[in-house]
């Protein structure tokens, strides 16, 4: 994140994409930390309905996979943005 801020004036477009991707990853990890508490308590909150808990776990995993894919795509796009063709 520090390097992206340092390169912001020299490569503004690539730095913005890198900051967006890294920011999404950072907040995704914070959100994942919060959901880890929910995952432990979920079966007891659902009165032992383990099938529903499994569906919720799957939905949470799909959500975080999509967020990870978006963030990684932004980082890869930041690498290739602003490169001159030879």
């Amino acid at each position: 994140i520090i390097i992206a801020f340092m390169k912001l004036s020299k490569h503004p477009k690539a730095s913005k994409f890198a900051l967006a991707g890294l920011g999404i990853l950072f907040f995704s990890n914070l959100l994942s930390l919060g959901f880890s508490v929910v995952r432990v308590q979920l079966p007891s909150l659902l009165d032992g309905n383990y099938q529903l808990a499994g569906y919720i776990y799957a939905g949470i995993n799909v959500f975080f996979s999509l967020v990870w894919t978006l963030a990684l795509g932004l980082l890869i796009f930041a690498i290739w943005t602003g490169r001159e063709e030879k």
Side-chain angles (χ1 to χ4, degrees):
I1 292 177
I2 294 170
I3 293 172
F5 272 120
M6 289 173 35
K7 298 288 184 177
L8 192 58
S9 62
K10 190 174 179 182
H11 302 287
K13 193 174 182 182
S15 294
K16 287 177 186 175
F17 281 113
L19 286 171
L22 292 170
I24 289 171
L25 284 176
F26 178 74
F27 287 114
S28 172
N29 285 336
L30 288 179
L31 192 61
S32 178
L33 182 64
F35 275 124
S36 66
V37 174
V38 173
R39 287 180 182 175
V40 171
Q41 296 296 325
L42 193 61
S44 64
L45 293 173
L46 296 174
D47 295 327
N49 190 346
Y50 293 103
Q51 185 175 4
L52 181 59
Y55 291 143
I56 293 172
Y57 291 153
I60 290 171
N61 287 334
V62 167
F63 171 75
F64 281 113
S65 294
L66 291 174
V67 170
W68 175 262
T69 303
L70 172 69
L72 194 58
L74 285 172
L75 289 173
I76 292 171
F77 189 71
I79 292 170
W80 294 104
T81 298
R83 292 196 178 215
E84 298 176 10
E85 292 186 27
K86 293 182 180 181

